[in-house]
Amino acid sequence: MPVNILMPALSPTMEKGNLAKWLKKEGDTIKSGDVLAEIETDKATMEVEAIDEGILARIVVPEGTSDVPVNDLIAIIASEGEDPKAIKAESGKAAPARKQEPAPAPEMPKAEPKAEPKSDAQPAPPAVAAPAAAAPAAPAASHDGDRVFASPLARRVASQAGIDISRVTGSGPHGRIVLADVEAAKSGAPLAAPAAAPAAGKPAPIAPPSDDKIKALFEPGSYEEVPHDNMRKVIARRLTEAKSTIPHFYLTMDCEIDALLKLRAEINAAAPHDKDGKPAYKVSVNDMVIKALALALARVPEANVSWTENAMLKHKHADVGVAVSIPGGLITPVVRQAETKSLSAISNEMKDFAARAKARKLKPEEYQGGSSAVSNLGMFGVKDFAAVINPPHATILAVGAGESRAVVKGGQVVAATVMSCTLSTDHRAVDGALGAELLAAFKRLIEKPMAMLV
């Protein structure tokens, strides 16, 4: 039998992907492990490998196609002994490039309801069968105010059959109700219970303003519409979920970094050079911040956790995500077991992550998971800010710029280089005192950085 190649889900957040490039063409022999295509996800560009052998009989989705839903058919491989040309010809008739339902037949204009039908009513045109009886229109929304996702054909057939479409269970993508679901309901498949009416006095959820309402606030021609790409859509959804479902609170401390800057200069000066004079590493302040946070999490293990509804996950290692800005958004590669790594190892790993992130070449396992994260805007001159927690993390550290400030030491006002750091904390997992303990441990490591080398 021919083998269908479907759009893969390359990350947990992926719903659609862009088919960037086909690396094989129709008629090519395919071996297990061959790279078939490059897929652009919301985070990276990834390669799709074949797991079956045969001949690429048909490319269903051409390269350059955007927003291809996960599990849509993208290609067909002919197995051994099958004729690729016959498969291509047959699949070309039966398998459209994108899954679609047949377009609904045109509906007859609905007459105004009368007490009795007119005796001289004209018959329906022969090309379209008239409805057998007037049926109530399918509701456009369920009882809780949420929209019912259904195809136009499914709505029309449900309306003619007198079926409440909001009670039909959908089997299409993302629970969409399709014609087969309505036909099953007509054949006696059980319907869902009617949704309960909203409680008295409970306000209906407020929907965000529509695009048209927002655009109406601006003069036509005074703006340019730039459609959201997959990355921006996922960032928007995840940040909205994070701020809506995670009870954030914030703790800020000022850290003196003169000793850290001095140690960093000494470490970089001691770096060995290759024959071309290139140093083996160049440690940044951010690398030292990553190490300090990882060691602080190891010293305050009760804060190195992730919240789930049924249990607290206490992590054995400090896997620290680091926010990296890339065109169109950001991504958070994770430095695994950062508490065990040297500063030079963290520095080189971060340089590799940053380069591959900008090229969208990171693998999902390199940017998923982790227990905390660092977001550093100090290099942009930002003094202080509060970051949004990225689940499943329980904390994230926002790092501001190091700047010369007046501080009091021994009753004397002196100048010191000070960096403001704000810890955003999930109050379900880390209480105020525990968060303060974690931030204090971080501050001690930053201000006495030799402890990071021991």
Side-chain angles (χ1 to χ4, degrees):
M1 291 182 62
V3 177
N4 289 340
I5 306 299
L6 307 180
M7 172 62 78
L10 300 174
S11 72
T13 59
M14 179 177 170
E15 296 179 356
K16 297 180 180 179
N18 302 334
L19 208 160
K21 184 178 181 181
W22 279 104
L23 302 178
K24 298 288 186 180
K25 61 182 183 295
E26 291 183 355
D28 283 357
T29 299
I30 306 300
K31 296 180 180 179
S32 179
D34 283 355
V35 178
L36 298 177
E38 291 182 353
I39 305 294
E40 291 181 353
T41 72
D42 55 298
K43 296 290 187 182
T45 299
M46 305 184 68
E47 296 175 339
V48 177
E49 294 184 358
I51 59 174
D52 295 281
E53 298 184 351
I55 295 176
L56 186 57
R58 183 179 177 222
I59 291 176
V60 178
V61 177
E63 65 181 40
T65 303
S66 301
D67 294 336
V68 183
V70 167
N71 292 329
D72 260 21
L73 181 68
I74 61 174
I76 301 173
I77 293 177
S79 301
E80 184 178 358
E82 294 180 316
D83 184 358
K85 293 181 179 179
I87 291 175
K88 179 178 179 180
E90 185 173 348
S91 63
K93 300 174 184 177
R98 299 291 290 274
K99 295 178 181 177
Q100 296 179 355
E101 292 187 44
E107 295 187 43
M108 288 293 295
K110 295 184 178 179
E112 291 294 324
K114 303 293 182 181
E116 295 181 1
K118 292 184 177 180
S119 58
D120 59 348
Q122 295 296 317
V128 180
S142 59
H143 295 291
D144 62 359
D146 293 336
R147 179 184 172 190
V148 174
F149 291 96
S151 70
L153 181 58
R155 287 184 183 276
R156 184 172 70 85
V157 174
S159 173
Q160 293 175 354
I163 295 173
D164 182 353
I165 200 165
S166 67
R167 298 178 60 190
V168 177
T169 301
S171 63
H174 310 294
R176 189 168 184 255
I177 300 169
V178 296
L179 177 61
D181 303 322
V182 177
E183 294 291 350
K186 288 172 62 178
S187 300
L191 297 174
K202 182 180 179 181
I206 300 175
S210 66
D211 287 7
D212 290 339
K213 287 185 178 180
I214 294 174
K215 289 189 285 189
L217 302 174
F218 303 97
E219 182 181 351
S222 66
Y223 55 83
E224 175 188 359
E225 285 192 65
V226 181
H228 301 308
D229 61 12
N230 286 348
M231 174 176 285
R232 182 52 55 187
K233 291 176 182 177
V234 171
I235 289 173
R237 185 179 72 247
R238 284 181 59 82
L239 292 182
T240 300
E241 290 174 355
K243 289 294 285 185
S244 302
T245 61
I246 297 175
H248 287 59
F249 76 94
Y250 309 97
L251 303 168
T252 301
M253 283 188 180
D254 291 336
C255 304
E256 294 184 24
I257 61 170
D258 292 291
L260 181 142
L261 295 175
K262 182 174 181 294
L263 178 62
R264 171 179 174 263
E266 293 173 354
I267 291 172
N268 288 336
H273 292 68
D274 61 18
K275 60 182 180 180
D276 297 323
K278 184 178 179 180
Y281 53 82
K282 187 176 181 181
V283 174
S284 69
V285 171
N286 201 52
D287 299 328
M288 302 182 83
V289 167
I290 295 167
K291 176 74 172 183
L293 178 58
L295 288 173
L297 288 166
R299 295 180 182 186
V300 188
E302 294 80 6
N304 189 27
V305 296
S306 292
W307 170 269
T308 73
E309 291 302 321
N310 296 317
M312 196 80 75
L313 307 184
K314 295 187 68 173
H315 301 290
K316 297 178 180 179
H317 293 286
D319 297 336
V320 179
V322 185
V324 174
S325 178
I326 62 176
L330 58 85
I331 194 170
T332 310
V334 179
V335 180
R336 308 287 176 183
Q337 302 185 24
E339 81 282 9
T340 68
K341 294 180 178 177
S342 66
L343 289 170
S344 60
I346 291 174
S347 176
N348 289 333
E349 190 170 336
M350 281 307 306
K351 285 182 175 62
D352 174 60
F353 278 155
R356 289 193 292 120
K358 288 179 170 60
R360 297 201 174 192
K361 294 296 184 182
L362 289 179
K363 300 174 183 177
E365 59 268 24
E366 292 176 320
Y367 58 77
Q368 294 172 3
S371 56
S372 188
V374 170
S375 180
N376 190 341
L377 293 178
M379 66 280 290
F380 298 104
V382 175
K383 179 180 179 181
D384 63 77
F385 68 104
V388 179
I389 295 169
N390 182 31
H393 303 167
T395 55
I396 184 170
L397 186 70
V399 180
E403 56 183 11
S404 184
R405 301 183 199 172
V407 298
V408 178
K409 293 185 178 181
Q412 300 293 320
V413 178
V414 297
T417 307
V418 180
M419 178 176 72
S420 295
C421 297
T422 298
L423 185 72
S424 301
T425 304
D426 182 345
H427 212 321
R428 299 172 302 176
V430 179
D431 294 323
L434 184 57
E437 184 181 353
L438 175 63
L439 194 54
F442 170 81
K443 176 182 172 74
R444 286 193 295 271
L445 288 160
I446 289 292
E447 296 187 343
K448 296 182 178 180
M450 285 296 294
M452 287 190 272
L453 304 182
V454 177

